[in-house]
Amino acid sequence: MKAIEAKIVVLGSQGVGKTSIVAKYISNIYSKEIGPTIGASFFTCKINLNNVKVKMQLWDTAGQERFKAMAPMYYRNANAALLVFDVTNHTSFDEVKGWVLELQKNVQESMFLLLVGNKIDLEERRAVSHEEAVMYAQSIGAQFIETSVVRDQGIEQVFISIGLGLINLSSESKCSSMRRYESKDSLLSSTHSSMTNLSGIQYYDGVHMAIDISQSVEANGVGRVEIGGAWEREAYAHGYPQKTGWCC
Amino acid sequence: MYSKTKPRVENLKCRNESCDYYGNQQFDHYCSKCYRERVMRKRLTERSVAKSKVPAHHKQQQQHHHYRSVTTKTEEEPTHSTILIPTDDKKSKKRNLLEVISFKKSPGIPKESKKHHQHHNQQSRHEQPSSTSSLEIAHLETLKSLKISDRARRDFKTLLKTLDKTINNAYHSNESIDRISEIIQNGYERFKGFMETKDLTFYDVPVEIKEQTLDLFEKCIMTHHYKHLFSPHNTDDEEKDQLIHKRIRKLHWINAKHLMCTIDEVNSEARDYVYTAIMELVAMDSFATPFEKLECIVSCCRNIFTLLKQTSGNLASADDFLPALIFVVLKANPVRLQSNINYINRFSNANRLMSGETGYYFTNLCCAISFIENLTHESVQLTKEEFDEIMADGNIHSAWETALMSCESLNIISSNMKIMKDLNTRSHRFEDDISLFKIEMKEFKDDVFKKISSFIKTTPLNLKPPKTPIKVQSLLSGASSYNIRRSSSSDSSSVSKQLKANLVVAASANSVSDKKMGFSVIEENNFDNLVQNLSDTLQMDQVQVSSSGMLSTSNSADLLSISPIFGNPFDAQSFDESLITPDDDLIKGIRNINYDISYDISPENSLAEEVAQIRKYSNLVSQSHDETDTSIMKMSKSDLEEFDPLIIKDRENYQQQQVEFKPIENLSKSLIDDSPDKDFFLDQPLEPIKNVNPLGEYKGLSSQSSRIQTISCETGHQSNNTCQNAPPFIKKQKNKTQNKMSEDELKSPTVHLIREIYETNDAHEHFIAELDKALIEKVDYIIIEPTKIGDETARWIVVGNCLSKTSMICSSACIAAGYVWPKNNLIFGTLCTLSIFCSGLYLLSWNSDPCVHYQVETNPKKLSKVPLLKDFTSPIVLYYKPNTRSKYIQQILCGLVIGYCGYRLYESFK
């Protein structure tokens, strides 16, 4: 089985819900598990997609303006970036644009970008329209997903599409920093158990997601995976039949 | 620390006069820097002569010692920034041994168990980096414990040696540190590649073991070369260390608020976490390998995360974490921070830094350092002026002073916090108590209301006006009938009739609830007389009550007392309307009324009284006008006694009178016990005030007064209280009245009911017992519902009657026959025998039986007079008819017969 290991950096202004997206995802996964995670700023998870094991490391960044200068340290060697903005706050959207410019300037390697519009539960206070965000996502070759942590909407999609994007990226061999290796299931599981002891981060194989993603997708049009410029439909088309089987 | 080792400053200064640093005995009283410079100069000259390994090693040592001197100077730091300094002699001695031990498989080294090794490792964690030899031995042990083949181990050592050689060469050829870093990184890569190459020793080793092996490889290399490669002399690491150290010292004033981080500095628990994190960060310097240093960083960060999670309750985000880490770094001020960072950066396996949790934390630490280096007034939410001012002030205060001050202030704060907490809890307790008290008050109020309402329920304000007027009427008519019977005065019957008529009119008129109107309708003198008498009596009684209290000693029949309420002005007025001399008999009747009213004061009147009333009404309706008198008289009497608890109490004293009342009690009891009736009682609503006859008014008031009395006394023991309060004169009254009643033969019939209720298995026995009781108590009427016992009793009585009569007839006939046919012994003898037999039988079986006093009532006309009879389907009614006379006659006759018989026998024998 092919396996890829990738670093994903979460960028966005303070208070847009970067951490809460990750924390929600963690709580969804670990709700049944015993060991509590201590922080949501660093998080690893594994997703099986298209017969490829995607090991993702999410690096949360401090969104405060005063820490902006340190951001390059975080996104160094990142394979994907999660650009989070608050749909009720247009400034956060503008700041995302700033982040993207910085990434484009400082990162030479190809990177998978995922634009996430959070807090769509506050539809009445919406400041960034869906169309605007989609247009921007297409212009930078990113995907766009709208999420709501409160309603648990689109959270799963974020991680699935990152996984798919990373697989796509690795298959195109665009990204040299991404670690690719052939993995044997039995070996991996033992590795993980040892690493659990080592790092305190838990890996789970064969645990089904607590949330039925199809349901949240069908709830309404929002929260669906949008097709960005660099994205081919075929790349994930055969990923869908697997969605019940994938796990983290 | 500060006070202990405060030496004289002059002697301690560096021998180089231009130098500000302190000197050290080890360096010939030079400071480490000056000493090193001297040595360097010396070495440069030496190097031209011969190459030696030693200087490099020495250099490294000097560096350490220069640093030491620096720290000596800055000794007034908080304790946590003390560093563990390599000791010179040990190191140099072991130095030469190291290579031998670590790179040759020495059979002399004992094989230690893995556990032992771990223990050793734990120890070494807090040992100085210099004691690398022991560490290297430990690493070798780890290598042994790894689950790899001996060949793999050999390969491992070969590779290690190769790399070591390369590094040594590079180092001695004065290669730049970056070059060495590259070599080491390449060495890692090569080793990794070697492990993953097919057909080699490591290929079939699990990934896990591979990683461990790689870690061990790194550890071995770095432990060995720590001395050369940590903060090498050809870099500016040391200067950077000092810079950052000074910078942090300058920023000592920064607190959690400035950084907008959520750490609560005052909270002791939070402080514990911060201290642990600081300890870990400081301990980083004491480890030789980047791997272990990184572990320290991870441990430090984990502590911060735990702390943040405890403070916020949520999973900590980077937004919270980074400021907290900066805070910890600022407060820890770890020694050789930059050197450590660079060391890790250069020589740690690059993969580890790029990714994984360790990498993340390391990145964060780098960010924190970068933040501290570039800290401006904007970063700490201050204006430039403020920032500059504080920075300037910060130089004045030493770190130690600040630490002391902060310590003191922290102490004050924590003590204040304690006091505040105490106050807070106290105020909370107070509030709780208040709320509790409020609740209690409410409960009390509710309770009182409940009690009152329950009292009102149990003793309702049942102004039952129709009752009293009927009593009055009945009593009046009873009185009138008494008049008719006793005085036989010509006009009294007409008076009584008139009275009755008037009362009826009054009742009907007052039912329109207009008293005045009622009185205006009643204009006739006779009634006015009565009214006058009433009011006179009442007033007199009132006086008596007020003068003699309970009137318990009063013997006079006239001293029938009444509740003071009866002296109500309204009543007095209403009664004072006419002035006519009272008729004695009427007064008696009125006294009965009084008694009646005062009886009503006793509180046990609610349900039973209603029943009685209902019965009364039904009787009233059903009976003819003439009969009404007697029946009402009877009922009023039963009414009197039915519910008075005192009757039972005083039974012994007044047994004669009471005997006939007792069954009524039973009656009332059985009435109440009866379930359908009970339901009926309960459903009976309060009767509206229909009649406002003056006496009715009294009644209502009196009952009310009794209620008031009850409440004013102890709550909850209503009946007892009233019993205690009311009894004396009621008792008196009752007895007197009874005397009077018996005198006047105005007895109302007492009735005992034997209900056919099969509650238990021994119901039949119960009936019999009831019947016996009733018989003994000599009630007027016994109504037996159970057919079996009724029939038996009736038969028994009939047989008894038959025997008695037979005996009498026989006796008479015998005596007659004796006279008529003195010689005819046959007839005489037969009759005599029959007579004696019957009398004997009767005497034996019946005479002592109380039921001989009763007869079975069969006359329908008389039956209709029996109260309460309608409730029964086919009752046997026994009425009291004392047969004492017939008994005596019978006995006398019998005696005569016996005597005569004896005489005859005597004669015949003579």
Side-chain angles (χ1 to χ4, degrees):
Chain A
M1 197 185 211
K2 240 176 93 183
I4 51 170
E5 208 176 316
K7 173 178 157 185
I8 300 125
V9 66
V10 188
L11 299 171
S13 317
Q14 190 181 15
V16 293
K18 295 188 296 294
T19 316
S20 59
I21 288 175
V22 179
K24 182 75 189 173
Y25 189 65
I26 294 170
S27 69
N28 284 346
I29 296 165
Y30 293 125
S31 56
K32 288 174 190 167
E33 305 302 330
I34 340 124
T37 49
I38 51 164
S41 56
F42 179 81
F43 168 65
T44 56
C45 76
K46 260 178 56 201
I47 300 179
N48 283 354
L49 278 172
N50 289 352
N51 245 338
V52 178
K53 218 163 234 169
V54 185
K55 190 177 160 193
M56 298 193 281
Q57 294 183 1
L58 272 101
W59 287 38
D60 194 10
T61 59
Q64 288 100 320
E65 188 61 36
R66 59 206 168 113
F67 300 129
K68 204 164 181 175
M70 273 77 84
M73 292 194 202
Y74 288 102
Y75 59 69
R76 192 178 57 178
N77 296 317
N79 308 109
L82 207 61
L83 301 155
V84 189
F85 70 92
D86 183 352
V87 293
T88 64
N89 181 358
H90 204 279
T91 327
S92 70
F93 185 60
D94 295 336
E95 277 172 26
V96 161
K97 287 177 183 174
W99 283 113
V100 170
L101 284 175
E102 208 180 309
L103 285 175
Q104 283 169 347
K105 206 166 70 188
N106 297 331
V107 181
Q108 278 77 45
E109 279 192 333
S110 59
M111 221 172 170
F112 174 72
L113 299 181
L114 182 67
L115 190 64
V116 177
N118 196 21
K119 305 190 188 176
I120 51 164
D121 47 295
L122 304 166
E123 190 63 42
E124 68 278 2
R125 281 160 46 194
R126 197 183 183 108
V128 183
S129 74
H130 186 70
E131 290 72 31
E132 189 184 356
V134 169
M135 289 292 283
Y136 178 70
Q138 279 178 344
S139 74
I140 57 165
Q143 275 190 70
F144 175 59
I145 292 175
E146 286 191 331
T147 60
S148 165
V149 175
V150 178
R151 291 200 216 133
D152 195 8
Q153 206 170 21
I155 306 288
E156 318 297 336
Q157 273 72 24
V158 168
F159 289 85
I160 295 165
S161 49
I162 289 171
L164 292 168
L166 289 168
I167 292 165
N168 193 34
L169 211 61
S170 77
S171 69
E172 287 168 19
S173 303
K174 281 176 185 170
C175 187
S176 61
S177 68
M178 198 170 355
R179 193 176 158 209
R180 276 176 292 260
Y181 55 93
E182 290 294 316
S183 82
K184 291 169 218 163
D185 270 346
S186 58
L187 293 183
L188 267 177
S189 58
S190 61
T191 312
H192 294 149
S193 64
S194 75
M195 286 188 75
T196 306
N197 298 335
L198 193 76
S199 64
I201 293 194
Q202 286 156 350
Y203 301 83
Y204 292 96
D205 287 288
V207 178
H208 284 274
M209 294 305 299
I211 282 129
D212 185 5
I213 35 147
S214 57
Q215 200 181 344
S216 61
V217 173
E218 281 159 14
N220 50 32
V222 272
R224 206 179 274 279
V225 178
E226 296 293 332
I227 302 160
W231 187 256
E232 270 95 42
R233 184 171 273 275
E234 290 73 36
Y236 72 92
H238 43 271
Y240 267 111
Q242 283 239 328
K243 71 183 174 190
T244 45
W246 64 262
C247 54
C248 184
Chain B
M1 191 207 304
Y2 182 62
S3 55
K4 240 192 260 173
T5 60
K6 198 178 180 180
R8 286 168 57 208
V9 175
E10 303 85 52
N11 297 345
L12 287 176
K13 288 278 185 186
C14 179
R15 265 164 65 176
N16 185 350
E17 308 227 322
S18 59
C19 182
D20 279 342
Y21 288 109
Y22 293 98
N24 197 321
Q25 229 171 350
Q26 275 180 305
F27 304 130
D28 300 328
H29 295 284
Y30 282 104
C31 78
S32 64
K33 207 184 170 191
C34 300
Y35 180 71
R36 191 173 57 168
E37 275 163 9
R38 265 165 57 100
V39 171
M40 281 281 269
R41 249 176 278 137
K42 231 196 236 172
R43 196 191 295 150
L44 277 171
T45 50
E46 273 174 17
R47 192 173 265 187
S48 54
V49 183
K51 278 190 179 178
S52 162
K53 275 182 189 176
V54 186
H57 163 59
H58 267 262
K59 252 189 243 168
Q60 182 61 34
Q61 284 177 357
Q62 284 150 19
Q63 267 185 327
H64 284 299
H65 287 286
H66 184 247
Y67 194 81
R68 190 186 183 173
S69 67
V70 169
T71 42
T72 324
K73 228 183 116 188
T74 60
E75 221 168 24
E76 341 109 277
E77 278 173 49
T79 43
H80 52 70
S81 59
T82 12
I83 48 157
L84 299 157
I85 296 131
T87 46
D88 233 8
D89 305 334
K90 258 191 197 170
K91 212 163 119 188
S92 54
K93 273 177 198 165
K94 278 171 186 168
R95 171 75 176 83
N96 297 324
L97 284 172
L98 276 177
E99 276 175 275
V100 184
I101 294 164
S102 52
F103 298 106
K104 282 178 188 171
K105 202 175 181 183
S106 156
I109 296 165
K111 279 195 176 180
E112 286 172 297
S113 69
K114 205 183 175 182
K115 268 184 190 171
H116 194 101
H117 147 69
Q118 279 173 347
H119 174 67
H120 196 96
N121 216 6
Q122 277 175 355
Q123 273 189 329
S124 71
R125 210 178 129 90
H126 297 290
E127 275 171 25
Q128 302 149 0
S130 60
S131 58
T132 42
S133 59
S134 60
L135 280 175
E136 278 169 56
I137 292 161
H139 293 326
L140 279 177
E141 289 305 314
T142 321
L143 179 65
K144 272 175 203 159
S145 68
L146 275 179
K147 287 171 189 165
I148 50 173
S149 65
D150 282 352
R151 264 189 71 196
R153 260 183 219 127
R154 226 168 292 145
D155 289 341
F156 177 87
K157 277 174 193 166
T158 326
L159 281 167
L160 201 64
K161 253 181 195 173
T162 326
L163 185 60
D164 181 59
K165 232 174 230 171
T166 329
I167 293 163
N168 273 338
N169 287 337
Y171 182 71
H172 294 308
S173 58
N174 260 342
E175 292 276 5
S176 76
I177 193 75
D178 294 328
R179 175 73 195 125
I180 296 167
S181 165
E182 208 174 291
I183 288 164
I184 290 173
Q185 291 294 346
N186 285 338
Y188 293 153
E189 281 301 315
R190 209 180 307 144
F191 183 68
K192 203 180 160 197
F194 175 79
M195 282 202 293
E196 273 163 17
T197 319
K198 279 188 182 181
D199 308 324
L200 278 173
T201 44
F202 275 98
Y203 183 64
D204 40 356
V205 167
V207 178
E208 188 189 346
I209 305 293
K210 272 184 190 170
E211 281 182 11
Q212 283 181 13
T213 319
L214 189 60
D215 287 345
L216 187 67
F217 187 79
E218 184 192 330
K219 273 186 198 170
C220 288
I221 286 286
M222 289 325 294
T223 316
H224 186 57
H225 290 283
Y226 174 75
K227 299 174 292 294
H228 323 286
L229 300 180
F230 185 82
S231 192
H233 65 277
N234 51 359
T235 60
D236 56 349
D237 285 1
E238 202 177 322
E239 282 72 36
K240 277 185 185 164
D241 283 341
Q242 287 178 43
L243 274 175
I244 189 87
H245 199 87
K246 277 179 187 166
R247 174 78 177 166
I248 292 172
R249 277 179 66 195
K250 265 190 180 177
L251 295 171
H252 67 87
W253 48 270
I254 287 181
N255 57 30
K257 229 180 232 170
H258 289 114
L259 295 166
M260 292 199 298
C261 90
T262 49
I263 291 174
D264 180 10
E265 288 169 272
V266 185
N267 188 321
S268 63
E269 210 179 322
R271 257 192 292 171
D272 283 349
Y273 277 109
V274 171
Y275 284 148
T276 328
I278 285 169
M279 286 306 291
E280 292 288 349
L281 201 57
V282 169
M284 178 177 76
D285 186 57
S286 61
F287 289 101
T289 63
F291 183 81
E292 286 164 313
K293 285 179 190 290
L294 283 170
E295 270 186 347
C296 285
I297 294 169
V298 169
S299 164
C300 164
C301 294
R302 290 253 177 82
N303 268 305
I304 296 168
F305 268 115
T306 320
L307 162 69
L308 290 176
K309 203 187 173 187
Q310 284 201 342
T311 354
S312 62
N314 294 322
L315 293 179
S317 70
D319 290 350
D320 302 326
F321 172 66
L322 191 54
L325 183 63
I326 292 165
F327 177 76
V328 167
V329 171
L330 277 174
K331 293 301 152 197
N333 197 0
V335 286
R336 300 193 285 184
L337 183 60
Q338 194 61 52
S339 298
N340 277 307
I341 296 293
N342 287 343
Y343 182 69
I344 293 164
N345 246 332
R346 283 168 194 149
F347 305 117
S348 177
N349 193 339
N351 278 337
R352 215 188 333 252
L353 295 184
M354 292 300 177
S355 59
E357 199 186 11
T358 322
Y360 181 71
Y361 292 146
F362 184 69
T363 311
N364 270 304
L365 183 62
C366 292
C367 282
I369 293 163
S370 142
F371 180 83
I372 290 163
E373 279 172 348
N374 303 312
L375 192 129
T376 59
H377 60 94
E378 282 163 352
S379 318
V380 288
Q381 273 81 47
L382 292 171
T383 61
K384 199 169 177 359
E385 292 73 38
E386 278 177 318
F387 184 75
D388 290 344
E389 200 179 316
I390 293 170
M391 286 302 270
D393 283 349
N395 283 331
I396 296 161
H397 300 291
S398 73
W400 179 241
E401 272 172 329
T402 320
L404 273 180
M405 269 158 59
S406 62
C407 224
E408 200 180 351
S409 53
L410 272 177
N411 273 338
I412 293 164
I413 288 165
S414 63
S415 68
N416 282 347
M417 288 289 283
K418 231 176 234 171
I419 293 163
M420 291 297 275
K421 218 175 198 175
D422 185 46
L423 280 175
N424 195 23
T425 49
R426 272 198 219 174
S427 78
H428 272 302
R429 215 185 308 147
F430 188 63
E431 272 168 22
D432 285 354
D433 283 350
I434 285 173
S435 60
L436 212 74
F437 184 64
K438 268 182 190 167
I439 291 164
E440 267 175 20
M441 264 164 61
K442 203 172 169 287
E443 269 172 8
F444 179 71
K445 198 178 137 194
D446 288 352
D447 197 40
V448 167
F449 269 120
K450 221 163 109 191
K451 271 181 182 167
I452 287 170
S453 64
S454 73
F455 277 126
I456 288 169
K457 223 173 238 172
T458 49
T459 54
L461 181 65
N462 48 353
L463 303 166
K464 283 173 272 181
K467 188 176 173 180
T468 317
I470 285 155
K471 278 180 198 163
V472 173
Q473 193 179 8
S474 65
L475 285 163
L476 285 173
S477 41
S480 64
S481 62
Y482 170 83
N483 285 343
I484 296 158
R485 265 180 260 162
R486 287 295 163 110
S487 64
S488 310
S489 74
S490 53
D491 59 327
S492 60
S493 79
S494 69
V495 165
S496 81
K497 270 175 190 168
Q498 272 178 325
L499 262 172
K500 260 186 274 173
N502 290 343
L503 272 170
V504 169
V505 171
S508 61
N510 288 342
S511 69
V512 199
S513 85
D514 190 340
K515 298 155 204 161
K516 291 288 168 195
M517 203 173 115
F519 282 107
S520 66
V521 171
I522 307 159
E523 286 293 329
E524 281 164 78
N525 286 340
N526 285 326
F527 185 75
D528 288 339
N529 287 349
L530 162 69
V531 167
Q532 180 57 43
N533 293 340
L534 261 174
S535 82
D536 286 347
T537 322
L538 292 172
Q539 278 173 338
M540 184 183 75
D541 286 339
Q542 192 191 353
V543 171
Q544 281 167 353
V545 167
S546 57
S547 60
S548 64
M550 295 313 249
L551 284 177
S552 52
T553 51
S554 161
N555 291 321
S556 160
D558 290 332
L559 292 180
L560 292 167
S561 62
I562 202 152
S563 164
I565 293 292
F566 285 99
N568 187 305
F570 161 69
D571 305 306
Q573 276 173 10
S574 58
F575 285 131
D576 282 344
E577 277 176 10
S578 56
L579 291 156
I580 280 170
T581 35
D583 188 316
D584 276 350
D585 295 328
L586 276 176
I587 288 169
K588 275 175 187 171
I590 287 154
R591 280 184 189 138
N592 285 333
I593 298 160
N594 289 350
Y595 166 74
D596 210 81
I597 291 156
S598 60
Y599 163 74
D600 280 336
I601 292 165
S602 87
E604 289 185 25
N605 55 1
S606 58
L607 286 177
E609 215 166 42
E610 273 182 41
V611 189
Q613 230 175 347
I614 291 150
R615 302 250 178 272
K616 210 186 299 169
Y617 288 137
S618 61
N619 286 338
L620 257 177
V621 174
S622 63
Q623 282 166 303
S624 65
H625 188 73
D626 288 333
E627 285 160 353
T628 314
D629 300 346
T630 50
S631 92
I632 286 169
M633 272 303 291
K634 284 167 190 168
M635 280 319 291
S636 71
K637 195 181 172 191
S638 73
D639 220 23
L640 297 175
E641 288 134 12
E642 217 170 64
F643 313 106
D644 197 332
L646 295 163
I647 290 174
I648 311 159
K649 282 184 183 174
D650 297 332
R651 197 184 297 156
E652 284 165 339
N653 298 339
Y654 304 97
Q655 199 145 22
Q656 279 209 313
Q657 288 98 330
Q658 298 293 335
V659 165
E660 54 187 332
F661 299 137
K662 184 75 203 309
I664 296 159
E665 287 236 331
N666 292 335
L667 159 74
S668 76
K669 212 185 281 170
S670 63
L671 272 174
I672 289 159
D673 286 347
D674 194 275
S675 51
D677 273 4
K678 202 195 277 174
D679 287 345
F680 177 54
F681 302 154
L682 289 171
D683 289 339
Q684 179 81 4
L686 271 175
E687 280 177 87
I689 305 162
K690 281 183 206 157
N691 195 328
V692 205
N693 185 294
L695 283 169
E697 194 66 23
Y698 291 147
K699 161 106 179 68
L701 281 167
S702 68
S703 61
Q704 210 169 14
S705 82
S706 82
R707 223 170 292 129
I708 292 157
Q709 192 182 21
T710 317
I711 292 159
S712 70
C713 292
E714 211 177 316
T715 48
H717 302 285
Q718 177 196 9
S719 55
N720 288 349
N721 281 334
T722 347
C723 281
Q724 285 156 7
N725 293 339
F729 55 92
I730 291 177
K731 220 189 294 172
K732 210 90 204 174
Q733 281 174 337
K734 191 156 293 196
N735 298 332
K736 281 166 193 166
T737 317
Q738 277 162 14
N739 286 332
K740 206 167 290 167
M741 295 294 265
S742 57
E743 275 171 29
D744 299 349
E745 291 180 7
L746 285 171
K747 264 193 273 181
S748 70
T750 51
V751 179
H752 189 96
L753 295 174
I754 296 164
R755 284 271 185 190
E756 193 167 17
I757 301 158
Y758 295 96
E759 279 169 337
T760 51
N761 289 333
D762 56 347
H764 190 69
E765 282 77 26
H766 180 70
F767 297 150
I768 292 168
E770 282 247 319
L771 180 62
D772 286 344
K773 213 162 90 182
L775 290 171
I776 289 160
E777 281 160 4
K778 290 176 186 169
V779 290
D780 288 344
Y781 288 101
I782 297 170
I783 299 169
I784 306 165
E785 197 181 23
T787 338
K788 198 182 163 193
I789 189 171
D791 284 348
E792 276 175 7
T793 318
R795 220 172 292 140
W796 181 255
I797 288 165
V798 167
V799 170
N801 286 343
C802 184
L803 271 177
S804 167
K805 275 167 188 163
T806 316
S807 151
M808 276 200 285
I809 290 161
C810 285
S811 305
S812 318
C814 179
I815 293 161
Y819 279 112
V820 178
W821 304 289
K823 299 290 171 205
N824 193 342
N825 282 336
L826 186 72
I827 294 166
F828 173 78
T830 315
L831 286 170
C832 181
T833 318
L834 203 63
S835 163
I836 290 165
F837 172 75
C838 288
S839 317
L841 197 64
Y842 189 82
L843 205 71
L844 279 172
S845 299
W846 273 267
N847 203 29
S848 56
D849 195 329
C851 81
V852 293
H853 298 294
Y854 285 88
Q855 296 302 321
V856 181
E857 184 69 86
T858 45
N859 188 351
K861 204 184 172 187
K862 280 188 177 172
L863 270 178
S864 65
K865 284 184 203 169
V866 179
L868 306 168
L869 197 62
K870 276 182 197 131
D871 296 338
F872 302 93
T873 42
S874 59
I876 303 292
V877 180
L878 304 178
Y879 67 96
Y880 184 72
K881 189 188 167 198
N883 60 347
T884 339
R885 203 167 51 181
S886 64
K887 217 161 78 183
Y888 286 139
I889 291 167
Q890 185 211 330
Q891 278 164 4
I892 290 160
L893 279 173
C894 189
L896 277 174
V897 166
I898 290 164
Y900 188 61
C901 186
Y903 169 72
R904 286 283 288 260
L905 281 170
Y906 172 76
E907 271 207 334
S908 62
F909 280 115
K910 210 166 63 173

